[in-house]
Amino acid sequence: MEFEVENIEGDGRRAAFVVRGATPAFVNGVRRAMLADVPTMAIDTVDVYENTSVIFDEVLSLRLGLVPLTTDLEGYELPEECSCEGEGCTGCEVSVLLDVEAEDEDTTVYSGDLEVEDPEIEPAQDGIPIIDLKPDQAVVLEATARLGRGRDHAKNQGATAAAYKHLYRAVEDGGGGEDVLRGYVETLDGDVVDMSEYDGRVSEAFDDDVGFETVDDAFVFEVESDGSYEAEQMVSEAALSLSERAEELADTIAT
Amino acid sequence: MPYKCARCKRQTDIESARGIKCPYCGHRIFLKERGGGVKRVDVR
Amino acid sequence: MNVTILSKEDSSVEVEIGGQDHTLLNVLKDSLLRLEDVEAATYDMNPEQSGSKTDPILYVETVDSDPLDAIEEAANNLQEDAESFEEEVRAAL
């Protein structure tokens, strides 16, 4: 397939782009890979030293697990693919500390209070509330973060949104018909416009007699990441994961 | 296993509390204390 | 990747592909169907009402070539496609 990718908008965590020259099966593979296969870092085990808060250790641990961490795929391996064979070593896990105490006033503990041993890894955002502490309550724990995949646990799903739809195209003398369109539409000049700029109103964006059709091999992707990756890296890792598996299959079949 | 009397808050041991009764104040409700040591939790 | 050939004739084959799901199989099926020699290609995620406890089975029928070669070619094409897509994405975004 000859692809053509055109960026529409995006900054860091969000991206919207058009893929031309693809089949529905291929873009769906990429979408599924983004949701389930691209590994992200997340807290996986927690050693609780002290917890005098009102929340059970298990609930607190689950909350910690759901905090998105920035992911460094260069620096870490999936535990099952690591040379330590899942034993746990510096190549596949990193330690995260939380040591908080509410002294004499109510305190909210935020994701930003987590201290990660490796400066490459940090909470993707600092302001996620984890727990409220009353005076004299304290939480002291050491957690271990590992890479994992979204298909095994939702905490490892890096894409908070990964969706595509066929690109709409305006055609001349289409006879109108549409009053409201959402999303991105290709104009007669071949530009892609965001209909939300016109509040979706077709009459404001196009001439009266313009009609619309879908473009068979063009898809508009909208991708949003939880902060583990930039959206662009998310898409690219998903494509690489597909290509690696295809390569592995081809090699296995050949032998 | 350490327990705490729910009324007088004093530590006691449930085995030595002949019947479930606080040796200090006679109260019959106890609170179980958090065990010592580190607790490992898997995030699942 | 654990690949087991369950049955093979001159122009058809049944292969069990370990540890994979729709993500790979559906794209692979699409890639197979775009090959000239491939008459039919499909896969079953839940063979024999297994409750998805087993691995997916891929079925391929070809006109007059080795169906295993077709799978290999389709996988190679898919790999190239995914790589060129990845390059395009990195260049464009």
Side-chain angles (χ1 to χ4, degrees), chain A residues 42-69:
Chain A
I43 287 174
D44 196 38
T45 54
V46 181
D47 290 330
V48 186
Y49 293 95
E50 189 183 345
N51 175 15
T52 49
S53 76
V54 295
I55 305 259
F56 293 131
D57 297 353
E58 287 79 359
V59 178
L60 179 61
S61 301
L62 182 63
R63 290 186 185 184
L64 292 172
L66 294 171
V67 171
L69 303 174

Side-chain angles (χ1 to χ4, degrees), chain A residues 15-19 27 30-31 34 163-165 219-223:
Chain A
F17 56 95
V18 179
V19 183
V27 286
V30 174
R31 180 192 70 86
M34 269 190 269
Y164 63 85
K165 52 190 167 195
F219 302 86
V220 185
F221 260 95
E222 285 179 85
V223 177

Side-chain angles (χ1 to χ4, degrees), chain A residues 1 3 5 7 17 19 23 25-26 29 32-33 37 232 236 239 242-243 245-250 252-254, chain C residues 1 3 20-23 26-28 30 34 68 72 75-76 78-79 81-86 88 90 92-93:
Chain A
M1 284 182 266
F3 298 104
V5 178
N7 188 21
F17 56 95
V19 183
T23 60
F26 183 81
R32 286 177 60 97
D37 292 321
E232 171 210 340
S236 123
L242 266 187
S243 103
R245 275 177 290 164
E247 184 178 10
E248 200 183 327
L249 178 66
T252 320
I253 293 279
Chain C
M1 198 177 293
V3 177
Q20 295 300 321
D21 57 12
H22 297 288
T23 311
N26 190 46
V27 195
L28 184 69
D30 181 61
R34 276 184 288 122
L68 286 178
E72 193 189 335
N76 280 327
L78 172 58
Q79 188 207 339
D81 285 346
E83 276 172 9
S84 77
F85 175 74
E86 197 266 341
E88 287 290 326
R90 261 190 302 142
L93 303 188

